Amino acid sequence: MIRTAVIGCGYWGPNLIRNLYDEPRAQVRYVCDINRERLEAIGRRYPTVKIVGDEHDVIGDRDVDAVFVATPVETHYRIASAALKAGKHVLIEKPLTDSSAAAQKLIALAKKHKRVLMVDHTFLFTSAVQKMKEIVSLGELGEVYYIDSVRVNLGLFQHDINVVWDLGPHDISIANYVLGQTPRRVSAVGASHVSQRTQDVAYVTLYYPGQLLGHFHVNWLAPVKVRQMLIGGSKKMLLWNDIEPSEKIKVYDTGVTVRHRPDGRPDKGEIYKTLIQYRTGDMYAPRLENVEALSRVVSHFLDCVETGQQPLSDGEHGLQVIRVLEAADSSMKLHGEPVSL
Amino acid sequence: MIRTAVIGCGYWGPNLIRNLYDEPRAQVRYVCDINRERLEAIGRRYPTVKIVGDEHDVIGDRDVDAVFVATPVETHYRIASAALKAGKHVLIEKPLTDSSAAAQKLIALAKKHKRVLMVDHTFLFTSAVQKMKEIVSLGELGEVYYIDSVRVNLGLFQHDINVVWDLGPHDISIANYVLGQTPRRVSAVGASHVSQRTQDVAYVTLYYPGQLLGHFHVNWLAPVKVRQMLIGGSKKMLLWNDIEPSEKIKVYDTGVTVRHRPDGRPDKGEIYKTLIQYRTGDMYAPRLENVEALSRVVSHFLDCVETGQQPLSDGEHGLQVIRVLEAADSSMKLHGEPVSL
Amino acid sequence: MIRTAVIGCGYWGPNLIRNLYDEPRAQVRYVCDINRERLEAIGRRYPTVKIVGDEHDVIGDRDVDAVFVATPVETHYRIASAALKAGKHVLIEKPLTDSSAAAQKLIALAKKHKRVLMVDHTFLFTSAVQKMKEIVSLGELGEVYYIDSVRVNLGLFQHDINVVWDLGPHDISIANYVLGQTPRRVSAVGASHVSQRTQDVAYVTLYYPGQLLGHFHVNWLAPVKVRQMLIGGSKKMLLWNDIEPSEKIKVYDTGVTVRHRPDGRPDKGEIYKTLIQYRTGDMYAPRLENVEALSRVVSHFLDCVETGQQPLSDGEHGLQVIRVLEAADSSMKLHGEPVSL
Amino acid sequence: MIRTAVIGCGYWGPNLIRNLYDEPRAQVRYVCDINRERLEAIGRRYPTVKIVGDEHDVIGDRDVDAVFVATPVETHYRIASAALKAGKHVLIEKPLTDSSAAAQKLIALAKKHKRVLMVDHTFLFTSAVQKMKEIVSLGELGEVYYIDSVRVNLGLFQHDINVVWDLGPHDISIANYVLGQTPRRVSAVGASHVSQRTQDVAYVTLYYPGQLLGHFHVNWLAPVKVRQMLIGGSKKMLLWNDIEPSEKIKVYDTGVTVRHRPDGRPDKGEIYKTLIQYRTGDMYAPRLENVEALSRVVSHFLDCVETGQQPLSDGEHGLQVIRVLEAADSSMKLHGEPVSL
């Protein structure tokens, strides 16, 4: 039985607690939050859990094996480093920390203390992202050309981070995971309308090796909720619409082929035009298993605690996400000038 | 009766001819194309029109009042300048020319010869864009924050221009018209996958005065056709989905309000958060008249010829579009570095 | 504090329990089910509740004020009548009973013992149905012409009832409530494909007074889930799409007007045609509050227990639904022959 | 060269003329209409065609081989019978006639004079219906359970026919063709709201042999346009959404299987439930060729004229449609009572 504690029970914490309760391998010892009202609501629903207001009560208890950190991002490093030092495994809500320096320290601490450090990039554990990873890995799309995401809605403004730090981690994490690559360069543009210091609309471009482009539109000021990702490839193309109740992923047997001349260069002019061939074929929507991703996150974390294996979304994965976020911030200040990683 | 000629009858020319035939004020004297087969097909359908292979036959005929240029963009300047010099009014398919220098010369020629020079930015004449212009002009959206467009599909590759020059003119023209402004700076990123010299996927950001941002995703390598524009404002927000058979425009009574402290600065931290107010109200979709935009283009051009008024999409409007296209090309070469206009 | 018990914890029971736990006025004393495994799962999540396998333990306890019956429909009468006789208030999952005779007995028992009898027609308490009721009541649609519903999906086959009894109660209840009327005549057609004795596809027509028609397509053999209702009126028309995440209700300022001749009769032939006028105006989607309907059901039931008021979905409302279900069964046997109520 | 004439140039006639002009095998000699204004518009667009106001001018001309009848339905018999008697081939807009008696006479006339009689049931020639026919014929859906259609919009009220006669022919024709069967019994319900004598909302049920059900919702009083057909089968299910610009047809690998006990009867109760198995698999959308169906109609008719082959939508097919329409009228008068064919 893995003895756990959940620190932070704002929006995400209660979901974690519910999933931990459904896991026969885990036991929830503590729930910790500075907000008394929230704590007591948890206490009413889960009478056997200890509710505490001070994280030190949790970290100081040697009978706690693993800690789930679901607090505001600026506290991640403080809480996670203390927990790791106290010999606990740690699962942190995304993003890992508020700086790549802090992220690197956490990675080092986890290594030193031989503890699991995992970031809850929940989307990686959805059936949709798992299916996309499979399709891309098997080469079904051919050479991947671009990955384009739109993630917009009327957003919950956060006082501590901008829209790139709020919504961007999802897309960066998914793109790096599905493509199996990390970007070399980042260009980002953004604007701050509601608050002068915080971008609420932004566009982030990731230059992966070759001509592979990632582009993410993140926006807190959109009237409709859109969660859509396009992946274009040389053989097929894929559309992921996460708002759809079913048929979230559609694979299109669609493409463009350019035939080359004997000397290896494409032709010019009229002749050239005739050498480009379009292909529009069937579309299919693979069946996706209907499982809550967070239950898979919890289960995978417990697996890693038990077996010592490296999590899918380990500290290194979380660090790569933060590097892109930092580069995006720099590029936005320069109106889109590219920043190398 | 305005005596007209159509030069170029590839994709767009036949649509122009059909609309001219429905106009009691106009008569189609000539149709000109270098492709004999296409010409003869036109001749069979419109037996009274003269079909010619050489544009000089048209331009040299003093009984032609107005010329419609629907040829590849690299020929626009040559044909239009000859026509203007011969004293004819000119309507040109978008984009006006392939360089801002050439566009400026055409504007000067039109002025000198006192002839109408109009660019067929057809979208400006759709009921949807007219409604958007009205909504924005009346201040219904409040202060406009951003305009975001996605215009993607499996594209007809063109040997002479990239995807920005092919699809971008629509968005730039619409944005400049609806906002009543022109951008100060352009940042663009793109990639060339199918042909090494031609971007087939691109993202263009327009910095309008203040924090007003325009952003356009244009893409020839998308498996689905998307034609969608979002306009976010301080009071309301608007979504235009041009693929929808009805309810193309939706106006959302949705917004974010930030209240300021007495000293004029927003609060920080927890207090700050409570001062941001979300508003989600009703949505409405205004009725749009179902009229073919090109018939309005033709009618407006004939009005201008008759009255001497300046067209909505005059040479200057067309020139502004080309300036953005040129800046986008420059910025793409610099991986997104902003280019001033 | 109202002391409650939930009998039956298959699909719906756990939702009831969760909502009761969120109600400060109620306390859950017992959860009862014949399935030991399900009971124990409830016990783990709610350690303070008593779990029992025999309904008599619940009904015999004088410290239970109200009973929630969420068992298969053929047991509703047995459990509810015992509970009413024991002086308990009763909330029953829809449909009320499996026969109108049993429903009438329950109504009489509730009256005799002065206890609340409410049917959990949950849909009546959704924001969408409340809004539709408001729109129709205020006369915004004018005279209502028809109400058409499609409620289809790959269904959970039930061994005890057919698709009309499974899905139909929703539509009948909503239609009677929104229209404020009950039908005079029922015609139904159906077919049994998977099991010979159970209709899995059916169409039910309700003849309300005048020319007002209700029509419901209920289907367990559909590949996609559709939950859609159209209400046509003389002034406006309404579309409710319950699958949509937002904009569930759309009101169309659309209609047909027929002008009458001075002698009060419509004209004939060509002249007649010109007197029919179409109107297509704006559409609007009213904002709907995002509240779980079941929490409103529970709250309304507790209100009725406290104040003695008659529930919105009282025994009489539930009885009217069953009368239509019985008539539909009769009509299906006669291949659509109408059955009077 | 087949010399043709088009009689009636209201809504459908001009489409026929346009398609005939694109057919190298056909020549349009005459266009006939009683409305002078419409005739002259045709004359302007097609200066080589003779425009006449009297159908006898057309039928009396021995140099006309084939006549296209696109007039109001009550004139179909008069014009078509005269044309057949004059030795001309005839293509008639659907429905064939306004009574089955008249349809039978036309069939006999065509046989006697050895001329082609074809009904323009255009939908049969769409890529979507052709694909559905192929899928059903190959047994991909298994045993077909039902065919359900919704065909509703704010309709063009017609003074001569009700909504069943206006929209129903499409569905009846498609269902009979795709299923390769004709119904045995019809039940229909309808209501007349705008005009007392004309149903504007109706539901028609077709009982095909066995448990196979067809059901059509036709409606002139709907605020939105819906064109949707579901076909459920024992192996797979199909959805045709004709409003979708692409992916009009989706095939779902979805089904329900019931296993039988050794004695051949399904089990009862709990055990029975476990024997029903659901299958939800992938969905695919076959590519459909983008061809105007009417051009295929015209081409098929010319083929039949040239080769003497029987048209896909011959007089007999058209007659079967009318028989259902007549039965639906009878059943509506009886509030849904079934009528045998």
Side-chain angles (χ1 to χ4, degrees):
Chain A
M1 182 66 72
I2 298 166
R3 298 158 304 177
T4 71
V6 175
I7 302 179
C9 50
Y11 172 67
W12 202 234
N15 293 329
L16 268 167
I17 299 166
R18 177 170 48 77
N19 276 284
L20 283 165
Y21 261 77
D22 286 343
E23 251 292 346
R25 290 181 289 173
Q27 181 194 15
V28 184
R29 288 246 159 151
Y30 290 94
V31 170
C32 172
D33 200 286
I34 51 172
N35 182 314
R36 197 70 214 164
E37 206 178 320
R38 285 200 294 236
L39 260 191
E40 279 165 6
I42 295 290
R44 275 194 299 277
R45 189 164 289 187
Y46 304 98
T48 57
V49 84
K50 287 183 214 164
I51 55 173
V52 295
D54 186 343
E55 74 212 39
H56 298 100
D57 293 347
V58 173
I59 292 167
D61 186 339
R62 295 185 54 182
D63 288 343
V64 169
D65 304 310
V67 166
F68 297 77
V69 183
T71 55
V73 63
E74 69 267 21
T75 66
H76 282 188
Y77 175 71
R78 187 190 77 223
I79 298 170
S81 60
L84 287 169
K85 284 175 189 162
K88 298 177 194 327
H89 305 281
V90 174
L91 174 68
I92 305 189
E93 199 188 340
K94 66 90 204 168
L96 175 50
T97 57
D98 56 2
S99 79
S100 52
Q104 283 171 309
K105 285 188 205 159
L106 286 187
I107 293 169
L109 275 173
K111 200 172 177 186
K112 181 178 166 195
H113 293 276
K114 296 193 169 50
R115 286 298 175 271
V116 172
L117 172 63
M118 175 168 161
V119 194
D120 179 8
H121 281 297
T122 322
F123 266 111
L124 300 195
F125 295 84
T126 57
S127 297
V129 174
Q130 288 297 321
K131 179 58 75 176
M132 290 200 296
K133 174 70 176 170
E134 179 193 322
I135 288 169
V136 169
S137 300
L138 292 174
E140 193 177 331
L141 304 187
E143 184 196 346
V144 177
Y145 286 157
Y146 66 86
I147 188 163
D148 174 89
S149 171
V150 179
R151 189 176 299 277
V152 311
N153 54 274
L154 195 67
L156 288 174
F157 268 76
Q158 313 218 5
H159 70 289
D160 53 348
I161 54 173
N162 63 25
V163 71
V164 177
W165 281 77
D166 179 35
L167 300 179
H170 296 309
D171 294 310
I172 302 163
S173 164
I174 294 167
N176 282 359
Y177 174 64
V178 168
L179 301 173
Q181 301 189 55
T182 54
R184 303 285 163 89
R185 206 164 34 213
V186 174
S187 166
V189 297
S192 310
H193 300 106
V194 174
S195 159
Q196 279 170 19
R197 286 160 287 130
T198 309
Q199 284 87 359
D200 37 39
V201 177
Y203 302 91
V204 182
T205 305
L206 274 57
Y207 292 88
Y208 286 92
Q211 287 282 310
L212 175 50
L213 223 57
H215 187 273
F216 312 134
H217 174 199
V218 287
N219 190 328
W220 280 336
L221 292 176
V224 285
K225 186 174 183 178
V226 182
R227 297 284 182 270
Q228 202 159 298
M229 193 173 265
L230 271 175
I231 308 182
S234 58
K235 286 191 193 158
K236 290 191 178 178
M237 299 176 185
L238 182 154
L239 171 65
W240 171 32
N241 185 346
D242 207 37
I243 303 292
E244 282 283 315
S246 57
E247 302 159 39
K248 286 180 187 294
I249 287 189
K250 294 178 177 173
V251 182
Y252 293 83
D253 186 11
T254 289
V256 177
T257 314
V258 56
R259 264 190 292 159
H260 288 78
R261 292 192 312 181
D263 62 0
R265 290 181 311 155
D267 266 295
K268 283 186 75 171
E270 280 289 337
I271 302 162
Y272 166 68
K273 276 169 102 172
T274 64
L275 292 178
I276 293 215
Q277 291 179 331
Y278 295 88
R279 196 168 34 74
T280 315
D282 295 356
M283 175 272 275
Y284 82 95
R287 195 183 77 86
L288 298 177
E289 240 184 304
N290 196 4
V291 176
E292 186 180 2
L294 187 52
S295 82
R296 287 193 184 131
V297 169
V298 165
S299 170
H300 181 63
F301 177 72
L302 297 178
D303 287 351
C304 294
V305 167
E306 286 179 346
T307 67
Q309 73 173 107
Q310 198 68 2
L312 206 69
S313 52
D314 60 3
E316 188 59 37
H317 180 88
L319 168 63
Q320 293 301 334
V321 170
I322 290 164
R323 283 200 167 124
V324 173
L325 296 172
E326 288 177 339
D329 274 351
S330 303
S331 180
M332 281 196 292
K333 285 188 192 123
L334 302 165
H335 300 291
E337 207 167 293
V339 171
S340 291
L341 288 180
Chain B
M1 180 65 71
I2 299 167
R3 298 158 304 178
T4 69
V6 175
I7 302 179
C9 51
Y11 171 68
W12 201 235
N15 293 329
L16 268 167
I17 298 167
R18 177 171 48 78
N19 275 282
L20 283 164
Y21 260 77
D22 287 344
E23 251 292 347
R25 290 181 289 173
Q27 180 193 17
V28 184
R29 288 245 161 153
Y30 290 94
V31 171
C32 172
D33 200 286
I34 52 172
N35 183 313
R36 198 69 215 166
E37 208 179 318
R38 286 202 292 237
L39 260 190
E40 280 166 6
I42 295 290
R44 274 193 301 275
R45 188 164 290 185
Y46 304 99
T48 57
V49 83
K50 286 182 212 163
I51 55 175
V52 295
D54 186 343
E55 72 212 41
H56 298 99
D57 293 347
V58 173
I59 292 167
D61 186 338
R62 296 186 53 182
D63 289 343
V64 169
D65 304 310
V67 166
F68 298 77
V69 183
T71 55
V73 64
E74 69 266 22
T75 67
H76 283 188
Y77 174 72
R78 188 190 75 222
I79 298 171
S81 60
L84 287 168
K85 284 175 189 162
K88 297 176 195 329
H89 306 282
V90 174
L91 174 69
I92 305 189
E93 199 189 339
K94 67 91 203 164
L96 175 49
T97 57
D98 57 1
S99 78
S100 51
Q104 282 170 309
K105 284 187 205 161
L106 287 187
I107 293 169
L109 275 173
K111 198 172 178 188
K112 181 177 166 195
H113 294 277
K114 296 193 169 49
R115 285 299 175 271
V116 173
L117 172 63
M118 174 168 164
V119 194
D120 179 9
H121 281 297
T122 322
F123 266 110
L124 300 195
F125 295 84
T126 57
S127 297
V129 173
Q130 288 296 321
K131 179 58 76 176
M132 291 200 297
K133 174 72 176 168
E134 178 193 322
I135 287 170
V136 169
S137 300
L138 293 174
E140 191 176 331
L141 304 187
E143 182 196 348
V144 177
Y145 286 157
Y146 66 87
I147 187 162
D148 173 89
S149 171
V150 179
R151 189 176 298 277
V152 311
N153 54 274
L154 194 68
L156 287 174
F157 269 75
Q158 311 217 7
H159 70 290
D160 52 349
I161 54 173
N162 64 25
V163 71
V164 177
W165 281 77
D166 178 34
L167 300 178
H170 297 309
D171 294 309
I172 301 163
S173 164
I174 294 168
N176 282 358
Y177 173 63
V178 168
L179 300 174
Q181 301 189 56
T182 54
R184 303 286 164 87
R185 204 163 37 212
V186 174
S187 165
V189 297
S192 310
H193 300 105
V194 174
S195 157
Q196 280 172 17
R197 285 159 287 131
T198 310
Q199 285 87 358
D200 37 40
V201 177
Y203 302 92
V204 182
T205 305
L206 274 56
Y207 292 89
Y208 286 92
Q211 286 283 310
L212 176 51
L213 222 57
H215 187 273
F216 313 134
H217 174 199
V218 286
N219 190 328
W220 280 336
L221 292 176
V224 285
K225 186 175 182 177
V226 182
R227 295 284 181 270
Q228 202 160 299
M229 193 173 264
L230 271 175
I231 308 183
S234 59
K235 286 191 192 157
K236 289 191 180 180
M237 300 179 185
L238 183 153
L239 172 65
W240 171 32
N241 185 347
D242 207 37
I243 304 290
E244 282 284 313
S246 57
E247 301 158 40
K248 285 179 187 296
I249 287 188
K250 294 179 176 173
V251 182
Y252 294 83
D253 186 11
T254 289
V256 176
T257 315
V258 57
R259 263 190 292 160
H260 287 77
R261 292 193 312 181
D263 62 0
R265 289 182 312 153
D267 266 295
K268 282 184 76 172
E270 281 289 337
I271 301 160
Y272 167 66
K273 274 169 103 172
T274 64
L275 292 179
I276 293 214
Q277 290 178 329
Y278 295 87
R279 194 166 35 74
T280 315
D282 294 356
M283 175 273 276
Y284 82 95
R287 197 182 77 87
L288 298 177
E289 239 184 305
N290 196 5
V291 176
E292 185 180 2
L294 187 53
S295 82
R296 289 196 185 127
V297 168
V298 166
S299 170
H300 181 63
F301 176 74
L302 298 178
D303 287 351
C304 294
V305 166
E306 287 179 346
T307 67
Q309 74 173 104
Q310 198 68 1
L312 205 69
S313 53
D314 61 4
E316 189 59 37
H317 180 87
L319 169 62
Q320 294 301 333
V321 170
I322 290 165
R323 282 198 169 126
V324 173
L325 296 173
E326 288 177 339
D329 274 350
S330 302
S331 180
M332 282 196 290
K333 285 188 193 123
L334 302 165
H335 300 291
E337 208 169 290
V339 171
S340 291
L341 287 179
Chain C
M1 182 66 72
I2 298 167
R3 299 159 302 176
T4 69
V6 175
I7 302 180
C9 51
Y11 173 67
W12 200 235
N15 293 329
L16 268 167
I17 299 166
R18 177 171 48 76
N19 275 283
L20 284 165
Y21 260 77
D22 286 345
E23 250 293 346
R25 289 182 287 174
Q27 181 193 15
V28 184
R29 288 245 161 151
Y30 290 94
V31 170
C32 172
D33 200 286
I34 52 171
N35 183 315
R36 198 69 216 165
E37 208 178 318
R38 285 202 293 239
L39 260 191
E40 279 165 6
I42 295 290
R44 276 193 300 277
R45 189 163 287 187
Y46 304 99
T48 58
V49 83
K50 287 183 214 162
I51 55 174
V52 295
D54 185 345
E55 74 213 40
H56 297 99
D57 294 347
V58 174
I59 291 167
D61 186 338
R62 294 186 54 181
D63 289 343
V64 170
D65 303 312
V67 166
F68 298 76
V69 183
T71 54
V73 63
E74 70 267 22
T75 66
H76 283 189
Y77 174 71
R78 188 191 74 222
I79 299 170
S81 58
L84 287 168
K85 285 175 189 163
K88 296 175 196 327
H89 304 281
V90 174
L91 175 68
I92 305 189
E93 199 189 340
K94 65 93 203 163
L96 174 50
T97 56
D98 56 2
S99 78
S100 52
Q104 281 171 309
K105 286 187 203 161
L106 286 187
I107 293 169
L109 275 174
K111 198 171 177 187
K112 179 179 167 195
H113 294 276
K114 296 192 167 52
R115 285 298 175 270
V116 172
L117 171 64
M118 174 168 164
V119 193
D120 179 8
H121 280 297
T122 322
F123 266 111
L124 299 195
F125 295 84
T126 57
S127 297
V129 174
Q130 288 296 322
K131 179 57 77 178
M132 290 199 298
K133 173 74 177 168
E134 180 193 321
I135 287 170
V136 169
S137 300
L138 292 174
E140 193 177 332
L141 304 187
E143 181 197 348
V144 176
Y145 287 157
Y146 67 85
I147 187 162
D148 173 90
S149 170
V150 179
R151 189 175 299 277
V152 310
N153 55 273
L154 195 66
L156 288 173
F157 268 76
Q158 311 217 8
H159 70 289
D160 51 349
I161 54 173
N162 65 24
V163 71
V164 177
W165 281 77
D166 180 33
L167 300 178
H170 297 309
D171 295 309
I172 301 164
S173 164
I174 294 168
N176 282 357
Y177 174 63
V178 167
L179 300 175
Q181 301 190 54
T182 53
R184 303 285 164 90
R185 203 160 40 209
V186 174
S187 164
V189 296
S192 311
H193 301 104
V194 175
S195 158
Q196 280 172 16
R197 283 161 289 132
T198 311
Q199 283 87 358
D200 36 41
V201 176
Y203 302 91
V204 183
T205 304
L206 275 56
Y207 292 88
Y208 286 92
Q211 286 283 310
L212 175 50
L213 223 56
H215 186 273
F216 312 135
H217 174 198
V218 287
N219 189 328
W220 280 337
L221 292 177
V224 287
K225 187 176 181 176
V226 181
R227 295 284 182 271
Q228 201 160 297
M229 195 174 264
L230 272 174
I231 308 183
S234 58
K235 286 191 191 156
K236 289 191 179 180
M237 299 178 186
L238 182 154
L239 172 65
W240 171 31
N241 184 346
D242 206 38
I243 304 290
E244 282 283 314
S246 58
E247 302 158 39
K248 285 179 188 293
I249 287 188
K250 295 179 175 172
V251 182
Y252 294 83
D253 186 10
T254 289
V256 176
T257 315
V258 55
R259 264 191 290 160
H260 288 77
R261 294 192 312 181
D263 62 359
R265 289 181 313 154
D267 264 296
K268 282 185 77 173
E270 280 290 336
I271 302 161
Y272 167 67
K273 275 169 103 171
T274 65
L275 292 179
I276 293 216
Q277 290 178 331
Y278 294 88
R279 194 168 34 75
T280 315
D282 294 357
M283 175 272 278
Y284 82 94
R287 195 182 78 85
L288 298 178
E289 239 184 304
N290 196 4
V291 176
E292 186 180 2
L294 187 53
S295 82
R296 288 195 184 129
V297 168
V298 166
S299 171
H300 180 63
F301 177 73
L302 297 177
D303 287 352
C304 294
V305 167
E306 286 179 347
T307 67
Q309 73 173 106
Q310 196 69 0
L312 206 68
S313 52
D314 59 3
E316 188 60 36
H317 180 88
L319 168 62
Q320 293 301 333
V321 170
I322 291 165
R323 282 199 170 125
V324 173
L325 296 173
E326 288 177 338
D329 274 351
S330 303
S331 180
M332 282 196 290
K333 285 188 194 123
L334 303 166
H335 300 292
E337 206 168 293
V339 171
S340 291
L341 288 179
Chain D
M1 182 66 71
I2 298 166
R3 300 159 303 178
T4 70
V6 176
I7 302 180
C9 51
Y11 172 67
W12 200 234
N15 293 329
L16 268 168
I17 299 167
R18 177 172 47 77
N19 275 284
L20 283 165
Y21 260 76
D22 286 344
E23 251 293 347
R25 289 183 287 174
Q27 181 193 14
V28 184
R29 287 245 160 152
Y30 290 93
V31 170
C32 172
D33 200 286
I34 51 171
N35 182 313
R36 197 71 213 162
E37 208 179 317
R38 285 200 296 237
L39 260 191
E40 279 165 6
I42 295 290
R44 274 193 301 277
R45 190 163 288 188
Y46 304 98
T48 57
V49 83
K50 288 182 212 162
I51 54 174
V52 296
D54 185 342
E55 73 211 43
H56 299 98
D57 293 347
V58 173
I59 292 167
D61 186 338
R62 295 185 54 180
D63 288 343
V64 170
D65 304 311
V67 166
F68 298 77
V69 182
T71 54
V73 63
E74 69 266 23
T75 66
H76 282 188
Y77 175 71
R78 187 190 74 222
I79 299 170
S81 59
L84 286 168
K85 285 175 189 162
K88 297 177 196 325
H89 304 282
V90 174
L91 175 67
I92 304 189
E93 199 188 341
K94 66 91 202 165
L96 173 50
T97 56
D98 56 2
S99 78
S100 52
Q104 282 171 309
K105 285 187 204 159
L106 287 186
I107 294 170
L109 277 173
K111 199 171 175 187
K112 179 178 167 195
H113 294 276
K114 296 194 169 50
R115 285 298 175 272
V116 173
L117 171 65
M118 175 170 162
V119 193
D120 179 9
H121 281 296
T122 322
F123 266 111
L124 300 195
F125 295 84
T126 57
S127 297
V129 173
Q130 288 296 320
K131 178 58 77 176
M132 291 200 296
K133 173 72 176 170
E134 179 192 323
I135 288 170
V136 169
S137 301
L138 292 174
E140 194 177 331
L141 304 187
E143 183 198 347
V144 177
Y145 286 158
Y146 66 86
I147 188 161
D148 173 271
S149 171
V150 179
R151 189 176 299 277
V152 310
N153 55 273
L154 195 67
L156 287 174
F157 268 76
Q158 311 216 7
H159 69 290
D160 52 348
I161 54 173
N162 65 23
V163 71
V164 176
W165 281 78
D166 180 33
L167 300 178
H170 297 310
D171 294 309
I172 301 163
S173 164
I174 294 167
N176 282 357
Y177 175 62
V178 168
L179 300 174
Q181 300 190 55
T182 53
R184 304 286 164 87
R185 205 162 37 211
V186 174
S187 164
V189 296
S192 311
H193 300 104
V194 174
S195 159
Q196 279 171 17
R197 283 160 289 131
T198 310
Q199 283 87 359
D200 36 41
V201 176
Y203 301 92
V204 183
T205 304
L206 275 55
Y207 292 87
Y208 286 92
Q211 287 282 311
L212 175 50
L213 223 58
H215 187 272
F216 312 135
H217 174 198
V218 287
N219 189 328
W220 280 336
L221 292 176
V224 287
K225 187 176 181 177
V226 182
R227 294 285 181 271
Q228 202 160 297
M229 195 174 263
L230 271 174
I231 308 183
S234 58
K235 287 191 190 157
K236 291 191 177 178
M237 297 176 187
L238 182 155
L239 171 65
W240 171 32
N241 185 345
D242 206 39
I243 304 292
E244 282 283 312
S246 57
E247 302 159 39
K248 286 180 188 293
I249 288 188
K250 294 178 176 173
V251 183
Y252 294 83
D253 187 10
T254 289
V256 176
T257 314
V258 57
R259 263 190 292 158
H260 288 77
R261 295 192 310 181
D263 62 0
R265 289 181 314 156
D267 265 295
K268 282 186 77 173
E270 282 289 335
I271 302 162
Y272 166 68
K273 274 169 105 172
T274 65
L275 292 178
I276 292 215
Q277 290 179 331
Y278 294 88
R279 195 169 32 77
T280 315
D282 295 357
M283 175 272 276
Y284 82 94
R287 195 182 79 86
L288 299 177
E289 241 185 303
N290 196 4
V291 176
E292 185 180 2
L294 187 53
S295 82
R296 288 194 184 130
V297 169
V298 166
S299 171
H300 180 63
F301 177 72
L302 298 178
D303 286 351
C304 294
V305 166
E306 287 179 346
T307 67
Q309 73 173 106
Q310 197 69 359
L312 207 67
S313 52
D314 59 5
E316 188 60 36
H317 180 87
L319 168 63
Q320 293 301 332
V321 170
I322 290 165
R323 284 200 167 124
V324 173
L325 296 172
E326 289 177 338
D329 275 351
S330 302
S331 180
M332 282 196 290
K333 284 188 195 126
L334 303 166
H335 300 290
E337 206 167 296
V339 171
S340 291
L341 288 179

